[in-house]
Structures are given as C-alpha cells and as structure tokens.
C-alpha cells in the first residue's frame, strides 16, 4: 500500500536525530532495522497522553511527524508504527501495515484492527515483524517466516501458524496478539483509533500510560504510579501525588514537555 505521506530528506534526518541516530543508514539491511527498532523503543515513549489532554489523534503522516518528531512526544500503536513505517519506507524497506487482535486472559482476543503491526522486508528479501507500538514486547524485530523460538531481550518469542490465515505471536509461551498478514493502509485504522480514544470500554481512556525501554529495564507511568523495572524484573514504585510532580516526571524521565498535566484518573478529578 502506498504511504499516506512520504518523508523527505530533511524529515528523515530529523526523525533519526529524534531516536539518537546520526546520519542516514547506508543500507536497508537487517542490522540497520534492528538498530532503528531498538533506538526507537529507547527514545520514543508508548503513551496515550493526548486522550487525557483533550488533544485530537490523527493518523496522517504530517500530523504524526509534527507530534512525534517536532514536538518530541510519543503515541500508541497506530501513531508509533504508523510513522515508523514511513521512516522505513524512506530508507528503502518495503513495509506492510497489518491488523492485529490483542489477547488478554480476561477477554480473549480483541476485534480486528485493535493493534497495528508491521511486516518489513529488507534488501535481501527477508521479512521481519517490527513493532515499536506495543509497550512491553520485543526489543528487536522477529523473523516473520520463522516458526521456531526466537530469543530477544524482551523474552522468548515465537510466531505460530493457526488454522486460519492469522499468525499468533507468543512471548514466553503466552499469546500477545494474532496478526493478519494482509497489507492495509494506515487510513484503515482510523475508526478503530477513534474508538480507542473515545470509548469508556477502551483501556486507553481509563488511565494514563507512558512507557519506554531503559538501558537496564523499563520505565512506566501508569495512573498515579511510576514503576521502574530493572533487567532482573525487580520493581520500584513511586506514587505521583501532584500535577507538578507528574509534569516533572514526564519532562525528566520521558523527555515530554507539557504545558498542562493530563488528568490523573485515580482519586483525582
């Protein structure tokens, strides 16, 4: 599918600077894809702050570039993988945008288009599952056509075939989502994005979240708690008691500068 907004040379350079990479890569190979993937996860937070700030969420490339690169914000799957796909295409990769149905033990699999994942083909013709918009997940892309266990800093992953055309992505033996490999356009996710941003049944409307990889674990702001997890899985929890503290944490720990605080959903108006 054709991109909704091709990134020009200056935008590619700004995007690479945003994720801490100096200079355009020389090749659209697997090593470069891995480098881009992990740099993105360390630099650009998974966050839903726009919903709790009353900001519109739009899925066109111009708006996504303005938010994530120029304003140095994050986003959720449609935004993060949506813009990452445009970067990869500008660097010479072939990208398919795919619908995924996320899994939870309480509700089973969600409806189609609940998540956006990417199939990325490098310059050797090798296909990869790339996903910088799922929060805690792989740090590196997975071989898309490999049905064996694949080790990753985020766990032991496997892409399993099903009776239908969908593929199940598992982490440490537990289903994460089922992906439909049929290529879609980013615009196909517009209605699902609107539901995620507005429905009281969406978990994105129920609590604020902001999360990114760190050098030795993960940093996650959820509701009124800041959770720091190290590489061994040990957690430290810090209570967020005021708007001033929240704004300071977003600025100092996530690189997000806001003029006002998003609504904290627990115990506050």
């Amino acid at each position: 599918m054709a991109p909704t907004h091709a990134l020009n040379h200056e935008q590619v350079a700004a995007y690479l600077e945003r994720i801490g990479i100096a200079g355009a890569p020389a090749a659209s190979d697997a090593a470069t894809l891995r480098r881009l993937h992990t740099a993105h996860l360390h630099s650009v937070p998974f966050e839903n702050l726009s919903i709790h700030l009353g900001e519109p969420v739009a899925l066109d490339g111009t708006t996504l570039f303005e938010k994530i690169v120029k304003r140095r914000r994050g986003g959720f799957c449609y935004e993060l993988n949506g813009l990452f796909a445009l970067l990869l295409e500008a660097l010479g990769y072939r990208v398919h945008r795919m619908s995924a149905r996320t899994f939870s033990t309480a509700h089973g699999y969600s409806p189609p288009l609940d998540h956006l994942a990417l199939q990325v083909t490098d310059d050797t013709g090798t296909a990869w599952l790339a996903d910088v918009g799922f929060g805690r997940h792989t740090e590196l892309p997975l071989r898309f056509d490999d049905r064996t266990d694949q080790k990753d800093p985020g766990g032991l992953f496997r892409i399993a075939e099903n009776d239908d055309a969908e593929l199940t992505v598992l982490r440490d033996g537990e289903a994460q989502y089922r992906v439909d490999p049929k290529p879609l356009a980013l615009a196909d996710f517009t209605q699902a994005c609107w539901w995620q941003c507005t429905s009281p049944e969406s978990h994105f409307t129920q609590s604020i979240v902001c999360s990114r990889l760190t050098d030795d674990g993960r940093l996650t702001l959820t509701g009124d708690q800041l959770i720091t997890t190290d590489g061994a899985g040990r957690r430290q929890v810090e209570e967020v008691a005021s708007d001033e503290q929240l704004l300071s944490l977003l600025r100092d720990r996530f690189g997000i500068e806001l003029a006002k605080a998003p609504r904290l959903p627990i115990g506050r108006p």
Side-chain angles (χ1 to χ4, degrees), residues 221-227 237-242 245 249 266:
L221 176 70
T222 178
D224 58 1
Q225 292 185 329
L226 179 71
I227 302 169
V237 180
E238 178 182 351
E239 298 296 326
V240 183
S242 68
Q245 184 185 6
L249 287 172
I266 301 175

Side-chain angles (χ1 to χ4, degrees), residues 76-263:
F76 54 106
C77 67
Y78 311 121
E79 300 172 286
L80 298 179
N81 284 326
L83 189 62
F84 190 51
L86 294 178
L87 174 66
L88 296 177
E89 287 170 331
L91 294 175
Y93 295 91
R94 187 169 75 250
V95 183
H96 288 166
R97 297 145 182 84
M98 304 179 296
S99 166
R101 303 189 294 125
T102 60
F103 179 81
S104 70
T105 54
H107 304 290
Y109 284 101
S110 65
L113 303 171
D114 185 58
H115 179 62
L116 166 64
L118 305 175
Q119 180 185 337
V120 181
T121 303
D122 65 24
D123 57 6
T124 69
T126 302
W128 303 87
L129 176 66
D131 195 340
V132 297
F134 196 62
R136 180 178 173 232
H137 196 54
T138 63
E139 182 172 343
L140 302 169
L142 300 174
R143 279 286 300 266
F144 194 77
D145 58 354
D146 189 341
R147 302 295 173 255
T148 64
D149 289 339
Q150 301 186 54
K151 293 182 180 179
D152 181 88
L156 187 65
F157 288 82
R158 180 188 287 261
I159 301 176
E161 294 183 354
N162 302 294
D163 292 337
D164 54 19
E166 292 185 333
L167 303 169
T168 300
V169 180
L170 303 104
R171 183 185 71 224
D172 298 330
E174 297 183 358
Q176 303 300 296
Y177 55 72
R178 294 186 69 175
V179 62
D180 183 343
K182 179 179 67 177
L184 299 173
L186 183 58
D188 293 327
F189 295 86
T190 300
Q191 186 172 1
C193 181
W194 173 83
W195 185 91
Q196 299 282 14
C197 293
T198 60
S199 173
E201 297 180 10
S202 165
H203 62 274
F204 287 127
T205 64
Q206 297 172 20
S207 177
I208 64 171
V209 63
C210 188
S211 182
R212 68 170 179 85
L213 278 181
T214 62
D215 291 340
D216 59 353
R218 176 169 288 276
L219 189 66
T220 301
L221 176 70
T222 178
D224 58 1
Q225 292 185 329
L226 179 71
I227 302 169
T228 304
T229 308
D230 66 18
R234 294 183 293 263
R235 291 166 30 119
Q236 291 184 337
V237 180
E238 178 182 351
E239 298 296 326
V240 183
S242 68
D243 284 350
E244 292 74 18
Q245 184 185 6
L246 174 60
L247 289 171
S248 177
L249 287 172
L250 288 171
R251 181 185 65 248
D252 298 338
R253 307 300 296 275
F254 297 96
I256 294 177
E257 189 85 40
L258 297 179
K260 65 177 182 179
R263 296 187 304 272

